[in-house]
Amino acid sequence: MDRTEKRAFVASLATVFAETNFVLVAQNKGMTVADVSALRRQMRAAGATYKVAKNRLAALALDGTRFQGISPLLKGPTALAWSTDPVAVAKTAMDFAKGNDKFVILGAALGTQVLNADGVKALAALPSLDTLRGQLVGLIQTPATRIAGVLQAPGGQVARVLAAYAKKDEAA
């Protein structure tokens, strides 16, 4: 890379860091091209981006952003993953790390808060945004169905009582 390419790369990373909510730092020492390609596909499917970056350039891009707390993690062969949905990135990274021992999660930044590997693991255990939305809709709908059931119950009871008297009269 020449200087202009490096400046463009730092500027593009700084733009990404300004627009995203979550940045994950992982060590990818010894991963094959096939492994990295598989991880990129999984990240893309989750709505995230995975990029191997030079530590010095990534540190320059992080400088002055809310994510600059993860700069100390940029040692050795590292890669960055980011997305607006932090749970999706954390889940994808944790799932991949379970199957590949050469991929090690070092930490992450969620806004200004720096997370260690255990924090990322806890974040990955949370339900996804779509699951939470479904649960919320279910909670909102539940009281309405209960109210409808309570309102219909007296009418149904009266109808059952009348039907029982009608059968009793027919039997007699």
Side-chain angles (χ1 to χ4, degrees):
M1 281 184 145
D2 64 353
R3 285 184 178 224
T4 56
E5 289 175 328
K6 287 179 182 179
R7 281 191 201 116
F9 182 75
V10 168
S12 69
L13 265 183
T15 304
V16 165
F17 295 148
E19 296 172 353
T20 190
N21 299 327
F22 181 77
V23 177
L24 179 116
V25 180
Q27 190 174 39
N28 59 350
K29 189 175 189 176
M31 286 179 59
T32 64
V33 174
D35 291 338
V36 173
S37 297
L39 179 58
R40 279 197 175 111
R41 275 193 300 276
Q42 290 175 8
M43 288 284 185
R44 202 173 310 118
T49 305
Y50 175 83
K51 188 172 239 22
V52 176
K54 290 188 176 248
N55 293 337
R56 180 153 166 66
L57 297 178
L60 286 173
L62 286 169
D63 192 34
T65 67
R66 59 186 169 185
F67 301 117
Q68 68 187 36
I70 59 173
S71 291
L73 299 175
L74 299 173
K75 292 182 179 140
T78 56
L80 304 171
W82 60 85
S83 175
T84 54
D85 183 12
V87 177
V89 178
K91 278 188 181 194
T92 305
M94 289 304 292
D95 289 344
F96 190 81
K98 287 177 187 173
N100 191 331
D101 58 343
K102 294 178 182 176
F103 182 75
V104 179
I105 297 171
L106 300 175
L110 181 59
T112 57
Q113 185 177 6
V114 177
L115 304 173
N116 60 8
D118 292 331
V120 175
K121 188 175 184 179
L123 187 63
L126 293 174
S128 70
L129 190 58
D130 290 335
T131 305
L132 286 175
R133 285 180 182 153
Q135 290 174 350
L136 183 62
V137 168
L139 286 173
I140 291 170
Q141 286 180 342
T142 299
T145 56
R146 286 188 181 163
I147 289 171
V150 166
L151 292 176
Q152 289 177 352
Q157 288 176 348
V158 170
R160 284 190 288 276
V161 168
L162 291 175
Y165 278 126
K167 286 183 183 178
K168 183 179 175 184
D169 287 339
E170 288 176 6

PDB file of all heavy atoms in Angstrom, residues 45-47 83-92 95 121-137:
ATOM      1  N   ALA A  45     -23.953 -12.779   5.956  1.00  0.00           N
ATOM      2  CA  ALA A  45     -25.321 -13.286   6.122  1.00  0.00           C
ATOM      3  C   ALA A  45     -25.978 -12.711   7.380  1.00  0.00           C
ATOM      4  O   ALA A  45     -27.195 -12.538   7.423  1.00  0.00           O
ATOM      5  CB  ALA A  45     -25.307 -14.813   6.187  1.00  0.00           C
ATOM      6  N   ALA A  46     -25.169 -12.401   8.399  1.00  0.00           N
ATOM      7  CA  ALA A  46     -25.697 -11.824   9.637  1.00  0.00           C
ATOM      8  C   ALA A  46     -25.811 -10.304   9.562  1.00  0.00           C
ATOM      9  O   ALA A  46     -26.207  -9.671  10.537  1.00  0.00           O
ATOM     10  CB  ALA A  46     -24.808 -12.223  10.807  1.00  0.00           C
ATOM     11  N   GLY A  47     -25.434  -9.723   8.437  1.00  0.00           N
ATOM     12  CA  GLY A  47     -25.510  -8.268   8.289  1.00  0.00           C
ATOM     13  C   GLY A  47     -24.297  -7.547   8.854  1.00  0.00           C
ATOM     14  O   GLY A  47     -24.384  -6.365   9.197  1.00  0.00           O
ATOM     15  N   SER A  83     -21.045  -4.077  12.956  1.00  0.00           N
ATOM     16  CA  SER A  83     -22.419  -4.075  12.484  1.00  0.00           C
ATOM     17  C   SER A  83     -23.230  -3.137  13.359  1.00  0.00           C
ATOM     18  O   SER A  83     -22.800  -2.756  14.444  1.00  0.00           O
ATOM     19  CB  SER A  83     -23.014  -5.477  12.548  1.00  0.00           C
ATOM     20  OG  SER A  83     -24.381  -5.444  12.194  1.00  0.00           O
ATOM     21  N   THR A  84     -24.427  -2.791  12.885  1.00  0.00           N
ATOM     22  CA  THR A  84     -25.320  -1.992  13.719  1.00  0.00           C
ATOM     23  C   THR A  84     -26.061  -2.880  14.715  1.00  0.00           C
ATOM     24  O   THR A  84     -26.570  -2.388  15.705  1.00  0.00           O
ATOM     25  CB  THR A  84     -26.350  -1.240  12.850  1.00  0.00           C
ATOM     26  OG1 THR A  84     -27.017  -2.174  12.017  1.00  0.00           O
ATOM     27  CG2 THR A  84     -25.669  -0.189  11.999  1.00  0.00           C
ATOM     28  N   ASP A  85     -26.128  -4.191  14.454  1.00  0.00           N
ATOM     29  CA  ASP A  85     -26.747  -5.141  15.383  1.00  0.00           C
ATOM     30  C   ASP A  85     -25.639  -5.888  16.122  1.00  0.00           C
ATOM     31  O   ASP A  85     -25.054  -6.833  15.590  1.00  0.00           O
ATOM     32  CB  ASP A  85     -27.644  -6.120  14.628  1.00  0.00           C
ATOM     33  CG  ASP A  85     -28.371  -7.088  15.549  1.00  0.00           C
ATOM     34  OD1 ASP A  85     -28.361  -6.874  16.779  1.00  0.00           O
ATOM     35  OD2 ASP A  85     -28.963  -8.058  15.039  1.00  0.00           O
ATOM     36  N   PRO A  86     -25.325  -5.488  17.350  1.00  0.00           N
ATOM     37  CA  PRO A  86     -24.192  -6.106  18.056  1.00  0.00           C
ATOM     38  C   PRO A  86     -24.383  -7.582  18.354  1.00  0.00           C
ATOM     39  O   PRO A  86     -23.421  -8.343  18.355  1.00  0.00           O
ATOM     40  CB  PRO A  86     -24.080  -5.295  19.351  1.00  0.00           C
ATOM     41  CG  PRO A  86     -25.286  -4.462  19.441  1.00  0.00           C
ATOM     42  CD  PRO A  86     -25.944  -4.427  18.113  1.00  0.00           C
ATOM     43  N   VAL A  87     -25.608  -8.006  18.583  1.00  0.00           N
ATOM     44  CA  VAL A  87     -25.852  -9.409  18.929  1.00  0.00           C
ATOM     45  C   VAL A  87     -25.531 -10.324  17.749  1.00  0.00           C
ATOM     46  O   VAL A  87     -24.963 -11.402  17.920  1.00  0.00           O
ATOM     47  CB  VAL A  87     -27.306  -9.599  19.408  1.00  0.00           C
ATOM     48  CG1 VAL A  87     -27.603 -11.052  19.688  1.00  0.00           C
ATOM     49  CG2 VAL A  87     -27.564  -8.763  20.656  1.00  0.00           C
ATOM     50  N   ALA A  88     -25.872  -9.883  16.546  1.00  0.00           N
ATOM     51  CA  ALA A  88     -25.620 -10.705  15.353  1.00  0.00           C
ATOM     52  C   ALA A  88     -24.126 -10.938  15.156  1.00  0.00           C
ATOM     53  O   ALA A  88     -23.700 -12.065  14.864  1.00  0.00           O
ATOM     54  CB  ALA A  88     -26.225 -10.036  14.117  1.00  0.00           C
ATOM     55  N   VAL A  89     -23.316  -9.890  15.320  1.00  0.00           N
ATOM     56  CA  VAL A  89     -21.866 -10.042  15.159  1.00  0.00           C
ATOM     57  C   VAL A  89     -21.307 -10.957  16.240  1.00  0.00           C
ATOM     58  O   VAL A  89     -20.516 -11.857  15.956  1.00  0.00           O
ATOM     59  CB  VAL A  89     -21.161  -8.670  15.241  1.00  0.00           C
ATOM     60  CG1 VAL A  89     -19.667  -8.825  15.133  1.00  0.00           C
ATOM     61  CG2 VAL A  89     -21.653  -7.755  14.159  1.00  0.00           C
ATOM     62  N   ALA A  90     -21.724 -10.737  17.481  1.00  0.00           N
ATOM     63  CA  ALA A  90     -21.210 -11.538  18.588  1.00  0.00           C
ATOM     64  C   ALA A  90     -21.588 -13.009  18.425  1.00  0.00           C
ATOM     65  O   ALA A  90     -20.757 -13.894  18.636  1.00  0.00           O
ATOM     66  CB  ALA A  90     -21.736 -10.996  19.919  1.00  0.00           C
ATOM     67  N   LYS A  91     -22.835 -13.278  18.037  1.00  0.00           N
ATOM     68  CA  LYS A  91     -23.260 -14.673  17.852  1.00  0.00           C
ATOM     69  C   LYS A  91     -22.485 -15.347  16.732  1.00  0.00           C
ATOM     70  O   LYS A  91     -22.029 -16.487  16.873  1.00  0.00           O
ATOM     71  CB  LYS A  91     -24.759 -14.730  17.529  1.00  0.00           C
ATOM     72  CG  LYS A  91     -25.626 -14.658  18.733  1.00  0.00           C
ATOM     73  CD  LYS A  91     -27.057 -14.901  18.378  1.00  0.00           C
ATOM     74  CE  LYS A  91     -27.890 -14.788  19.633  1.00  0.00           C
ATOM     75  NZ  LYS A  91     -29.205 -15.296  19.492  1.00  0.00           N
ATOM     76  N   THR A  92     -22.341 -14.655  15.606  1.00  0.00           N
ATOM     77  CA  THR A  92     -21.628 -15.232  14.473  1.00  0.00           C
ATOM     78  C   THR A  92     -20.179 -15.517  14.844  1.00  0.00           C
ATOM     79  O   THR A  92     -19.647 -16.585  14.531  1.00  0.00           O
ATOM     80  CB  THR A  92     -21.700 -14.287  13.261  1.00  0.00           C
ATOM     81  OG1 THR A  92     -23.065 -13.995  12.985  1.00  0.00           O
ATOM     82  CG2 THR A  92     -21.057 -14.904  12.048  1.00  0.00           C
ATOM     83  N   ASP A  95     -20.011 -18.480  17.352  1.00  0.00           N
ATOM     84  CA  ASP A  95     -20.282 -19.751  16.673  1.00  0.00           C
ATOM     85  C   ASP A  95     -19.077 -20.197  15.859  1.00  0.00           C
ATOM     86  O   ASP A  95     -18.719 -21.376  15.853  1.00  0.00           O
ATOM     87  CB  ASP A  95     -21.511 -19.629  15.770  1.00  0.00           C
ATOM     88  CG  ASP A  95     -22.799 -19.517  16.553  1.00  0.00           C
ATOM     89  OD1 ASP A  95     -22.792 -19.840  17.767  1.00  0.00           O
ATOM     90  OD2 ASP A  95     -23.814 -19.101  15.966  1.00  0.00           O
ATOM     91  N   LYS A 121     -19.136 -12.956  24.876  1.00  0.00           N
ATOM     92  CA  LYS A 121     -19.854 -14.225  25.035  1.00  0.00           C
ATOM     93  C   LYS A 121     -21.233 -13.984  25.649  1.00  0.00           C
ATOM     94  O   LYS A 121     -22.226 -14.577  25.231  1.00  0.00           O
ATOM     95  CB  LYS A 121     -19.037 -15.169  25.918  1.00  0.00           C
ATOM     96  CG  LYS A 121     -19.568 -16.563  25.998  1.00  0.00           C
ATOM     97  CD  LYS A 121     -18.621 -17.450  26.793  1.00  0.00           C
ATOM     98  CE  LYS A 121     -19.116 -18.878  26.798  1.00  0.00           C
ATOM     99  NZ  LYS A 121     -18.223 -19.772  27.539  1.00  0.00           N
ATOM    100  N   ALA A 122     -21.316 -13.107  26.640  1.00  0.00           N
ATOM    101  CA  ALA A 122     -22.599 -12.775  27.263  1.00  0.00           C
ATOM    102  C   ALA A 122     -23.517 -12.070  26.268  1.00  0.00           C
ATOM    103  O   ALA A 122     -24.727 -12.318  26.240  1.00  0.00           O
ATOM    104  CB  ALA A 122     -22.370 -11.892  28.484  1.00  0.00           C
ATOM    105  N   LEU A 123     -22.942 -11.210  25.443  1.00  0.00           N
ATOM    106  CA  LEU A 123     -23.733 -10.521  24.421  1.00  0.00           C
ATOM    107  C   LEU A 123     -24.264 -11.509  23.387  1.00  0.00           C
ATOM    108  O   LEU A 123     -25.399 -11.378  22.918  1.00  0.00           O
ATOM    109  CB  LEU A 123     -22.871  -9.451  23.741  1.00  0.00           C
ATOM    110  CG  LEU A 123     -23.549  -8.521  22.765  1.00  0.00           C
ATOM    111  CD1 LEU A 123     -24.604  -7.679  23.473  1.00  0.00           C
ATOM    112  CD2 LEU A 123     -22.532  -7.607  22.110  1.00  0.00           C
ATOM    113  N   ALA A 124     -23.472 -12.514  23.062  1.00  0.00           N
ATOM    114  CA  ALA A 124     -23.899 -13.521  22.089  1.00  0.00           C
ATOM    115  C   ALA A 124     -25.030 -14.386  22.637  1.00  0.00           C
ATOM    116  O   ALA A 124     -25.807 -14.953  21.876  1.00  0.00           O
ATOM    117  CB  ALA A 124     -22.713 -14.405  21.694  1.00  0.00           C
ATOM    118  N   ALA A 125     -25.139 -14.471  23.959  1.00  0.00           N
ATOM    119  CA  ALA A 125     -26.192 -15.286  24.566  1.00  0.00           C
ATOM    120  C   ALA A 125     -27.556 -14.586  24.526  1.00  0.00           C
ATOM    121  O   ALA A 125     -28.579 -15.235  24.742  1.00  0.00           O
ATOM    122  CB  ALA A 125     -25.832 -15.617  26.008  1.00  0.00           C
ATOM    123  N   LEU A 126     -27.568 -13.288  24.250  1.00  0.00           N
ATOM    124  CA  LEU A 126     -28.829 -12.559  24.173  1.00  0.00           C
ATOM    125  C   LEU A 126     -29.602 -12.961  22.920  1.00  0.00           C
ATOM    126  O   LEU A 126     -29.008 -13.332  21.910  1.00  0.00           O
ATOM    127  CB  LEU A 126     -28.566 -11.050  24.129  1.00  0.00           C
ATOM    128  CG  LEU A 126     -27.985 -10.415  25.377  1.00  0.00           C
ATOM    129  CD1 LEU A 126     -27.656  -8.954  25.111  1.00  0.00           C
ATOM    130  CD2 LEU A 126     -28.947 -10.531  26.530  1.00  0.00           C
ATOM    131  N   PRO A 127     -30.925 -12.863  22.960  1.00  0.00           N
ATOM    132  CA  PRO A 127     -31.700 -13.142  21.742  1.00  0.00           C
ATOM    133  C   PRO A 127     -31.478 -12.045  20.703  1.00  0.00           C
ATOM    134  O   PRO A 127     -31.164 -10.905  21.055  1.00  0.00           O
ATOM    135  CB  PRO A 127     -33.159 -13.166  22.228  1.00  0.00           C
ATOM    136  CG  PRO A 127     -33.158 -12.506  23.548  1.00  0.00           C
ATOM    137  CD  PRO A 127     -31.782 -12.595  24.102  1.00  0.00           C
ATOM    138  N   SER A 128     -31.664 -12.387  19.439  1.00  0.00           N
ATOM    139  CA  SER A 128     -31.448 -11.423  18.371  1.00  0.00           C
ATOM    140  C   SER A 128     -32.538 -10.357  18.374  1.00  0.00           C
ATOM    141  O   SER A 128     -33.570 -10.483  19.042  1.00  0.00           O
ATOM    142  CB  SER A 128     -31.419 -12.131  17.010  1.00  0.00           C
ATOM    143  OG  SER A 128     -32.715 -12.583  16.699  1.00  0.00           O
ATOM    144  N   LEU A 129     -32.328  -9.319  17.600  1.00  0.00           N
ATOM    145  CA  LEU A 129     -33.273  -8.211  17.530  1.00  0.00           C
ATOM    146  C   LEU A 129     -34.626  -8.674  16.999  1.00  0.00           C
ATOM    147  O   LEU A 129     -35.676  -8.272  17.510  1.00  0.00           O
ATOM    148  CB  LEU A 129     -32.694  -7.105  16.647  1.00  0.00           C
ATOM    149  CG  LEU A 129     -33.426  -5.774  16.628  1.00  0.00           C
ATOM    150  CD1 LEU A 129     -33.515  -5.187  18.026  1.00  0.00           C
ATOM    151  CD2 LEU A 129     -32.735  -4.812  15.701  1.00  0.00           C
ATOM    152  N   ASP A 130     -34.626  -9.545  16.000  1.00  0.00           N
ATOM    153  CA  ASP A 130     -35.886 -10.055  15.451  1.00  0.00           C
ATOM    154  C   ASP A 130     -36.637 -10.898  16.486  1.00  0.00           C
ATOM    155  O   ASP A 130     -37.859 -10.824  16.595  1.00  0.00           O
ATOM    156  CB  ASP A 130     -35.633 -10.887  14.189  1.00  0.00           C
ATOM    157  CG  ASP A 130     -35.182 -10.025  13.024  1.00  0.00           C
ATOM    158  OD1 ASP A 130     -35.521  -8.823  13.024  1.00  0.00           O
ATOM    159  OD2 ASP A 130     -34.502 -10.551  12.127  1.00  0.00           O
ATOM    160  N   THR A 131     -35.914 -11.706  17.254  1.00  0.00           N
ATOM    161  CA  THR A 131     -36.542 -12.520  18.294  1.00  0.00           C
ATOM    162  C   THR A 131     -37.162 -11.628  19.372  1.00  0.00           C
ATOM    163  O   THR A 131     -38.280 -11.876  19.820  1.00  0.00           O
ATOM    164  CB  THR A 131     -35.513 -13.458  18.937  1.00  0.00           C
ATOM    165  OG1 THR A 131     -34.899 -14.234  17.906  1.00  0.00           O
ATOM    166  CG2 THR A 131     -36.146 -14.371  19.946  1.00  0.00           C
ATOM    167  N   LEU A 132     -36.427 -10.590  19.761  1.00  0.00           N
ATOM    168  CA  LEU A 132     -36.958  -9.659  20.761  1.00  0.00           C
ATOM    169  C   LEU A 132     -38.203  -8.943  20.253  1.00  0.00           C
ATOM    170  O   LEU A 132     -39.167  -8.747  21.001  1.00  0.00           O
ATOM    171  CB  LEU A 132     -35.893  -8.639  21.144  1.00  0.00           C
ATOM    172  CG  LEU A 132     -34.778  -9.150  22.040  1.00  0.00           C
ATOM    173  CD1 LEU A 132     -33.719  -8.075  22.235  1.00  0.00           C
ATOM    174  CD2 LEU A 132     -35.319  -9.591  23.374  1.00  0.00           C
ATOM    175  N   ARG A 133     -38.203  -8.573  18.998  1.00  0.00           N
ATOM    176  CA  ARG A 133     -39.387  -7.925  18.420  1.00  0.00           C
ATOM    177  C   ARG A 133     -40.586  -8.874  18.440  1.00  0.00           C
ATOM    178  O   ARG A 133     -41.702  -8.480  18.760  1.00  0.00           O
ATOM    179  CB  ARG A 133     -39.100  -7.485  16.989  1.00  0.00           C
ATOM    180  CG  ARG A 133     -38.238  -6.265  16.908  1.00  0.00           C
ATOM    181  CD  ARG A 133     -37.986  -5.860  15.478  1.00  0.00           C
ATOM    182  NE  ARG A 133     -37.109  -4.705  15.420  1.00  0.00           N
ATOM    183  CZ  ARG A 133     -36.320  -4.429  14.412  1.00  0.00           C
ATOM    184  NH1 ARG A 133     -36.278  -5.226  13.354  1.00  0.00           N
ATOM    185  NH2 ARG A 133     -35.563  -3.352  14.441  1.00  0.00           N
ATOM    186  N   GLY A 134     -40.367 -10.126  18.098  1.00  0.00           N
ATOM    187  CA  GLY A 134     -41.440 -11.120  18.128  1.00  0.00           C
ATOM    188  C   GLY A 134     -41.980 -11.324  19.532  1.00  0.00           C
ATOM    189  O   GLY A 134     -43.193 -11.428  19.736  1.00  0.00           O
ATOM    190  N   GLN A 135     -41.081 -11.377  20.509  1.00  0.00           N
ATOM    191  CA  GLN A 135     -41.519 -11.533  21.889  1.00  0.00           C
ATOM    192  C   GLN A 135     -42.320 -10.318  22.350  1.00  0.00           C
ATOM    193  O   GLN A 135     -43.321 -10.450  23.061  1.00  0.00           O
ATOM    194  CB  GLN A 135     -40.315 -11.738  22.811  1.00  0.00           C
ATOM    195  CG  GLN A 135     -39.646 -13.078  22.635  1.00  0.00           C
ATOM    196  CD  GLN A 135     -38.367 -13.199  23.455  1.00  0.00           C
ATOM    197  OE1 GLN A 135     -37.870 -12.230  24.015  1.00  0.00           O
ATOM    198  NE2 GLN A 135     -37.818 -14.415  23.500  1.00  0.00           N
ATOM    199  N   LEU A 136     -41.899  -9.139  21.939  1.00  0.00           N
ATOM    200  CA  LEU A 136     -42.609  -7.920  22.318  1.00  0.00           C
ATOM    201  C   LEU A 136     -44.009  -7.887  21.716  1.00  0.00           C
ATOM    202  O   LEU A 136     -44.986  -7.559  22.396  1.00  0.00           O
ATOM    203  CB  LEU A 136     -41.813  -6.692  21.884  1.00  0.00           C
ATOM    204  CG  LEU A 136     -42.380  -5.341  22.263  1.00  0.00           C
ATOM    205  CD1 LEU A 136     -42.447  -5.211  23.783  1.00  0.00           C
ATOM    206  CD2 LEU A 136     -41.553  -4.223  21.674  1.00  0.00           C
ATOM    207  N   VAL A 137     -44.123  -8.256  20.446  1.00  0.00           N
ATOM    208  CA  VAL A 137     -45.441  -8.311  19.806  1.00  0.00           C
ATOM    209  C   VAL A 137     -46.324  -9.338  20.508  1.00  0.00           C
ATOM    210  O   VAL A 137     -47.511  -9.107  20.738  1.00  0.00           O
ATOM    211  CB  VAL A 137     -45.301  -8.626  18.296  1.00  0.00           C
ATOM    212  CG1 VAL A 137     -46.631  -8.965  17.671  1.00  0.00           C
ATOM    213  CG2 VAL A 137     -44.667  -7.448  17.574  1.00  0.00           C
TER     214      VAL A 137
END
